Amino acid sequence: MHPLALAAALSLPALASALSWTATPFSPPSYPLAVRSPYLSAWLPQGSGTALNGAWPEFWTGAILGWAGFVNVDGSSYSFLGTPAVPSATFQQATQKSAEFTSTQSVFVLTAGGIDLTVSFLSPVEPSDLLNQSIPFSYMALSAASNDGSSHTVSVYSDISAEWVSGDDSLTVDWSTTTGDLIFHQVQLAAQAEYSEIDDRIQQGSGYYATLNTDGVTYQTGEDTVVRAQFISNGELANTEDTNFRAVSDDWPVFALAHDLGTVSGTSDTVVYAVGHVRDPAIQYIIADDQLQPRNLYFWSQFSTVNDLLSTFLGDYEGALVRATAFDAQVKSDASSISSDYADWVALAVRQAFGAIEFTVSKDSSGNFNTSDIMVFMKEISSDGNVNTVDVIFPSWSIFLYTNPEIGKYLLLPLFEYQATGQYPNGWSIHDMGSNYPNATGHNDGDDEPMPVEESGNMLIMTLSYVQATNDTSLIADYYKLLDQWTQYLIADSLIPANQISTDDFAGSLANQTNLAIKGIIGIRAMGEMASLAGNSEESSNYTSIASSYVTQWQGFATSSDGKHLTLNYNNDSSWSLTYNMWADKLLKLDLIPDSVYEMQTAWYPTVDAEYGVPLDTRHTYTKTDWQTLTAGIMTNTTVRDMFISALHAYASDGENNVPLSDLYYTTNGDVYEFQARPVVGGHFALLALQSAGSSSVSNATGGISSHSIDASSGSRLDVRHAGAVLGVVCCTAMAFATIL
Ligand SMILES: *[C@@H]1O[C@H](CO)[C@@H](O)[C@H](O)[C@H]1NC(C)=O
Ligand SMILES: *[C@@H]1O[C@H](CO)[C@@H](O)[C@H](O)[C@H]1NC(C)=O
Ligand SMILES: *[C@@H]1O[C@H](CO)[C@@H](O)[C@H](O)[C@H]1NC(C)=O
Ligand SMILES: *[C@@H]1O[C@H](CO)[C@@H](O)[C@H](O)[C@H]1NC(C)=O
Ligand SMILES: *[C@@H]1O[C@H](CO)[C@@H](O)[C@H](O)[C@H]1NC(C)=O
Ligand SMILES: *[C@@H]1O[C@H](CO)[C@@H](O)[C@H](O)[C@H]1NC(C)=O
Ligand SMILES: *[C@@H]1O[C@H](CO)[C@@H](O)[C@H](O)[C@H]1NC(C)=O
Ligand SMILES: *[C@@H]1O[C@H](CO)[C@@H](O)[C@H](O)[C@H]1NC(C)=O
Ligand SMILES: *[C@@H]1O[C@H](CO)[C@@H](O)[C@H](O)[C@H]1NC(C)=O
């Protein structure tokens, strides 16, 4: 039995009434199909429910990605993927029976005549193996099962179009087909433009569609209607190549692969396709003296050709499926300790968060890959495309802390290294590593989006969080000067924050923001801890006492005069906001903010709860998914915590939206305000991060900086390398140790 079929049989699916199929656990705004990088991001939009063959898959922006599928059963063809029109051939539509998502998989079952076709999309998330995580490929697996007890002859077909490689369909592409142990098609722009985007699509590199060259595989490239008609009418392809290279939209060239499954009486063999997008180099990164360093996806250090990579990737499908199923089960089990709504909520976030980051290495002066120089880059998808935005890494932080805190370190390193070169002129922390992904070219003019308190606080909080999770103090040792510099800024400017924007820049700027101030104050307190770890005990006690005195003053400025809630901005009784930055006090186990403040906020939010959750603040009716989840995490009453989570679940499952989950929506009606597909949904893991954080109490550990006690390969919290064995290596109550069937 397919492992997910078992999971489906054991759980009670929440049925949206409008759907004619079973949706487990619910029908999301958009299903991730192949989501592994900012440029491999294929989704199936839902709205009130859309079958796998009821719409074209889309890039996260909404641009169509030609990705078609047909199954031929006893001589009749049925479409199962996309909405291809093929005027010259007759086919029907398969009927969707079920759809399911887990953390790493989206699985659809469709009935086509006498068979049920299972279509499984797997985008691996392998946080314990950063090289594997750098591979920009996803799987689609197909298997057919007789649904009437009879035998049927079955063949399956799928193609991709050249829409996978450009944001401009009028540009010319060329392509090739390679046959050997694999059959794969490769397609790319004829004129490549390194590091360039059009409509968020990289204009560099190649798209791939590949399968193992087993018995009964056929291939073809050519005009969409011609190639598809060939399969629909014949159940196989012609093994021919169209070499008339042309524009993406000029007679729409497609790249097709078909498999003859023979006679199926029970369940067929599984046919596996790999789809992906590869470019090299991936990132340009500013190093000292304004030099630009090209950086390569980590997998290149092990594979010298894409052919080799595809061969290993396709050959590893069974293993990848076992690992993915183990990962999914552990996330589900851990999150279920909060609630089943919460388990659904985090599962929907996983591919979206990991799909915004890329794992890179550099080359040394002799041209060899330097695998000691790992850096992770994140695209601020949808909002502005910035690189490694500090206040986007911060909300995403929880998922990395939960899965492997080393990823957090490798996201921070590009920011630390650049600022350590001295080229960034401001005294506070930089906002991002570059305005346009994939150019991590810094801001030598100091003209990045100014969020001085926000980003300085974020850097200090995330650094201490990483140290607490791993006992690796290298960031403190290597960048103490920067950390201390940002602390000085916060000491001067966080208690009475000037008129400025916070991370919620869409809400506008404001002076004396309560929630912004507490982030800065927690940052100062975090530096107290780090100074102690560095052996600077006088500095440590100074910063710790400054933070304590600030918190007391902050309570005075920020508590409404009736004592019922914190205000949005100081001395404004009629205002309030989600004070999600208090979460960092809990994460770091600082006990900086008195319990009474948590209790006050917990009593307050139920009084201002709207249909789809608590608004971000009194200026607007919209709210944020990430910040509500962090706020849920600091509630002292589980009923109030669950109030937040159930509203978020209702928003995600209400059938109103059709974009990759948006983090910014209206509390009044659950409609999206703006943004989609952003990595900040990693913050949905905030409750799990609190449970697994702070395993090492460093508050009184004054041993100084000596032990870099952990390395990348052993640093994983959620280690699913050995499925079937005990999973995970963590301290805390909620990290249940799952075993796998
Ligand atoms: C990145 O920089 C290169 C120049 O090095 C430029 O051609 C390209 O357009 C930039 N990319 C983006 C997304 O702005
Ligand atoms: C490899 O990278 C590490 C980390 O940045 C650096 O310390 C080391 O010098 C590099 N090695 C070479 C040979 O460039
Ligand atoms: C960090 O060190 C503390 C104290 O030695 C220890 O209890 C804890 O398990 C360590 N944590 C990790 C992740 O190694
Ligand atoms: C900010 O709050 C402080 C403390 O209450 C107050 O003195 C100052 O006037 C406020 N600034 C603004 C711009 O409201
Ligand atoms: C504490 O830190 C502040 C800010 O850096 C500094 O002005 C002050 O002199 C320090 N106090 C002590 C006692 O070191
Ligand atoms: C107080 O907050 C309300 C609601 O956010 C806002 O409309 C008003 O302008 C604020 N007043 C001041 C003085 O900041
Ligand atoms: C928790 O909050 C709920 C909803 O506001 C309230 O009814 C309940 O009394 C609270 N429980 C405790 C122990 O405070
Ligand atoms: C740290 O604090 C704990 C509890 O307060 C105490 O038992 C322990 O001895 C302290 N460790 C050091 C190194 O001071
Ligand atoms: C990484 O991928 C390889 C195949 O390329 C596989 O053998 C290995 O188990 C994977 N490791 C992890 C931890 O997922």
Side-chain angles (χ1 to χ4, degrees), residues 165 171 189-198 201-205 279 281 438-439:
V165 301
L171 298 179
L189 285 168
Q192 300 262 310
E194 228 172 46
Y195 309 119
S196 289
E197 290 185 338
I198 296 177
R201 313 291 298 282
I202 195 78
Q203 300 301 292
Q204 172 198 359
R279 69 194 197 282
N439 290 336

Side-chain angles (χ1 to χ4, degrees), residues 312-353:
T312 301
F313 185 76
L314 280 166
D316 186 40
Y317 175 69
E318 291 300 329
L321 181 61
V322 169
R323 296 193 300 273
T325 303
F327 178 93
D328 294 350
Q330 187 166 0
V331 171
K332 182 169 181 171
S333 151
D334 291 354
S336 295
S337 74
I338 308 283
S339 68
S340 109
D341 277 359
Y342 186 62
D344 300 346
W345 180 238
V346 295
L348 190 56
V350 173
R351 280 169 286 178
Q352 183 166 322

Side-chain angles (χ1 to χ4, degrees), residues 484 488 491 538-539 542-543 546:
D484 195 52
Q488 300 313 313
I491 289 171
E538 274 174 35
E539 251 173 44
N542 187 20
Y543 296 157
I546 291 172

Side-chain angles (χ1 to χ4, degrees), residues 205-512:
S206 305
Y208 291 86
Y209 208 34
T211 195
L212 293 174
N213 193 2
T214 49
D215 285 349
V217 181
T218 53
Y219 67 88
Q220 192 167 337
T221 59
E223 182 177 356
D224 57 348
T225 50
V226 172
V227 175
R228 290 166 187 164
Q230 160 69 32
F231 177 82
I232 291 166
S233 304
N234 303 291
E236 62 179 16
L237 293 170
N239 291 340
T240 55
E241 294 177 54
D242 174 347
T243 53
N244 173 26
F245 301 137
R246 55 190 187 267
V248 173
S249 61
D250 181 357
D251 285 341
W252 301 98
V254 299
F255 312 96
L257 298 162
H259 289 256
D260 181 355
L261 296 178
T263 302
V264 175
S265 50
T267 298
S268 73
D269 287 346
T270 298
V271 164
V272 182
Y273 295 81
V275 65
H277 189 282
V278 179
R279 69 194 197 282
D280 189 55
I283 300 279
Q284 53 180 347
Y285 174 67
I286 183 170
I287 54 175
D289 302 323
D290 207 10
Q291 298 297 298
L292 294 181
Q293 174 192 66
R295 299 187 63 89
N296 316 86
L297 294 178
Y298 190 1
F299 75 78
W300 287 111
S301 66
Q302 186 170 310
F303 298 95
S304 52
T305 66
V306 175
N307 196 338
D308 287 349
L309 175 67
L310 276 169
S311 179
T312 301
F313 185 76
L314 280 166
D316 186 40
Y317 175 69
E318 291 300 329
L321 181 61
V322 169
R323 296 193 300 273
T325 303
F327 178 93
D328 294 350
Q330 187 166 0
V331 171
K332 182 169 181 171
S333 151
D334 291 354
S336 295
S337 74
I338 308 283
S339 68
S340 109
D341 277 359
Y342 186 62
D344 300 346
W345 180 238
V346 295
L348 190 56
V350 173
R351 280 169 286 178
Q352 183 166 322
F354 274 90
I357 63 175
E358 296 191 290
F359 294 74
T360 70
V361 293
S362 62
K363 286 179 181 164
D364 64 24
S365 47
S366 25
N368 300 315
F369 288 108
N370 183 352
T371 55
S372 306
D373 180 25
I374 301 170
M375 287 185 179
V376 177
F377 292 90
M378 173 185 278
K379 180 171 176 177
E380 187 182 337
I381 286 179
S382 159
S383 30
D384 61 16
N386 287 179
V387 185
N388 287 36
T389 309
V390 177
D391 64 290
V392 174
I393 298 174
F394 176 77
S396 318
W397 187 252
S398 292
I399 196 172
F400 304 123
L401 201 57
Y402 169 74
T403 55
N404 181 0
E406 291 294 317
I407 298 171
K409 169 180 170 174
Y410 293 128
L411 277 163
L412 298 184
L413 268 179
L415 294 151
F416 273 122
E417 278 290 283
Y418 167 59
Q419 289 173 92
T421 67
Q423 295 171 97
Y424 181 65
N426 299 322
W428 54 81
S429 162
I430 200 168
H431 170 269
D432 63 78
M433 268 313 302
S435 301
N436 300 99
Y437 202 89
N439 290 336
T441 45
H443 290 281
N444 288 358
D445 59 4
D447 205 14
D448 49 321
E449 189 177 9
M451 294 188 190
V453 172
E454 178 77 48
E455 310 303 28
S456 300
N458 284 336
M459 288 301 289
L460 291 160
I461 290 165
M462 290 190 285
T463 303
L464 179 60
S465 168
Y466 168 74
V467 173
Q468 288 183 342
T470 62
N471 289 341
D472 170 8
T473 52
S474 62
L475 291 178
I476 303 177
D478 294 346
Y479 308 108
Y480 194 87
K481 216 176 127 216
L482 280 171
L483 293 165
D484 195 52
Q485 174 187 318
W486 299 329
T487 305
Q488 300 313 313
Y489 178 77
L490 292 176
I491 289 171
D493 288 275
S494 69
L495 178 60
I496 309 287
N499 188 356
Q500 66 192 284
I501 48 175
S502 77
T503 180
D504 304 310
D505 53 1
F506 46 84
S509 69
L510 190 62
N512 280 339

Side-chain angles (χ1 to χ4, degrees), residues 697 699-703:
S697 173
S699 56
N700 61 359
T702 48

